Amino acid sequence: DQQVKQNSPSLSVQEGRISILNCDYTNSMFDYFLWYKKYPAEGPTFLISISSIKDKNEDGRFTVFLNKSAKHLSLHIVPSQPGDSAVYFCAASRRTTDSWGKLQFGAGTQVVVTP
Amino acid sequence: KAGVTQTPRYLIKTRGQQVTLSCSPISGHRSVSWYQQTPGQGLQFLFEYFSETQRNKGNFPGRFSGRQFSNSRSEMNVSTLELGDSALYLCASSLKGANYEQYFGPGTRLTVT
């Protein structure tokens, strides 16, 4: 049962424009959400996270938005750069209610930033 | 601070063999989780070890096992390898546990022929 879904397997965006990556989840008990970036032949790198008590978190060019009522989160990258070309995974967990839990990952979205 | 290291980086085995992969977490991290990544499947959770105890296990057959040592280093073993076990195996360490930020190693690419 896939509780975290990234319905867009790929996204192409021009350099300098905004990249918007979407993620939906089904488990209303999730209270912590993360985004990871992965280059080929490397492990995923943690990008940004957000707790369910917030609806927005910003870190440089990366902003994550959380809409709890819609069970939806998104990652905005502004401006997009060629080095942002990678696979992006969203993940979720139940930090406060399941102290021995685990991160549930989506299937990933391949982002390609074109010149 | 050194990151998560995994050895070996690449491995080729034949069906029926067994394999052991190793992971050294970030210093001070007591939680080590293992994931399998195959094309189109994202990251599938295998198990988590915390202070030498398995705390959580994913939906994988018993051929997949692991352990953690007192220095937090972890090993993962797959016995009776099948072609479908070909994948990138990722290890991640965390200060607080598997449902917090995890820091991944580069992975071990296992090919089963």
Side-chain angles (χ1 to χ4, degrees):
Chain A
D1 176 31
Q2 191 75 8
Q3 299 186 55
V4 179
K5 299 176 184 178
Q6 294 176 256
N7 293 319
S8 297
S10 64
L11 172 70
S12 183
V13 64
Q14 270 191 316
E15 183 178 358
R17 306 293 288 267
I18 182 171
S19 294
I20 300 176
L21 291 83
N22 294 303
C23 179
D24 297 297
Y25 60 95
T26 57
N27 190 339
S28 58
M29 299 296 288
F30 286 144
D31 57 12
Y32 189 59
F33 305 89
L34 308 89
W35 284 94
Y36 281 83
K37 171 181 176 180
K38 186 180 183 302
Y39 293 119
E42 294 183 13
T45 303
F46 170 71
L47 270 178
I48 191 169
S49 63
I50 187 167
S51 164
S52 60
I53 62 173
K54 295 186 175 182
D55 54 19
K56 177 183 173 181
N57 190 25
E58 197 170 349
D59 184 1
R61 296 186 298 114
F62 302 92
T63 303
V64 57
F65 296 91
L66 176 62
N67 183 334
K68 290 188 290 294
S69 61
K71 297 193 185 69
H72 177 84
L73 66 154
S74 61
L75 175 69
H76 292 206
I77 306 174
V78 184
S80 298
Q81 300 174 352
D84 296 332
S85 295
V87 177
Y88 289 79
F89 293 97
C90 71
S93 73
R94 295 162 47 190
R95 278 201 313 187
T96 54
T97 59
D98 187 4
S99 59
W100 286 12
K102 60 182 186 287
L103 295 182
Q104 301 268 9
F105 283 86
T109 297
Q110 172 75 60
V111 172
V112 176
V113 180
T114 58
Chain B
K1 194 184 252 191
V4 178
T5 58
Q6 290 186 247
T7 56
R9 291 295 310 277
Y10 302 92
L11 206 48
I12 299 175
K13 291 285 189 177
T14 56
R15 273 182 300 176
Q17 287 186 312
Q18 67 93 25
V19 67
T20 299
L21 312 181
S22 181
C23 171
S24 292
I26 291 172
S27 178
H29 286 192
R30 292 189 292 165
S31 168
V32 175
S33 297
W34 288 89
Y35 294 85
Q36 182 195 67
Q37 186 190 14
T38 52
Q41 291 294 315
L43 280 73
Q44 303 295 315
F45 175 81
L46 281 154
F47 29 66
E48 183 212 2
Y49 285 86
F50 189 96
S51 295
E52 301 179 67
T53 300
Q54 186 182 89
R55 289 207 302 195
N56 215 330
K57 192 175 191 305
N59 190 25
F60 278 82
R63 300 185 296 107
F64 292 82
S65 63
R67 59 177 176 168
Q68 187 180 34
F69 302 94
S70 58
N71 61 358
S72 293
R73 190 178 69 86
S74 177
E75 288 183 346
M76 189 192 91
N77 186 276
V78 187
S79 62
T80 319
L81 284 165
E82 301 177 359
L83 293 179
D85 296 333
S86 294
L88 180 67
Y89 290 88
L90 292 159
C91 163
S93 76
S94 173
L95 187 61
K96 295 183 180 179
N99 51 352
Y100 288 78
E101 295 94 282
Q102 295 180 40
Y103 297 87
F104 285 82
T108 295
R109 171 70 63 184
L110 172 65
T111 301
V112 182
T113 62

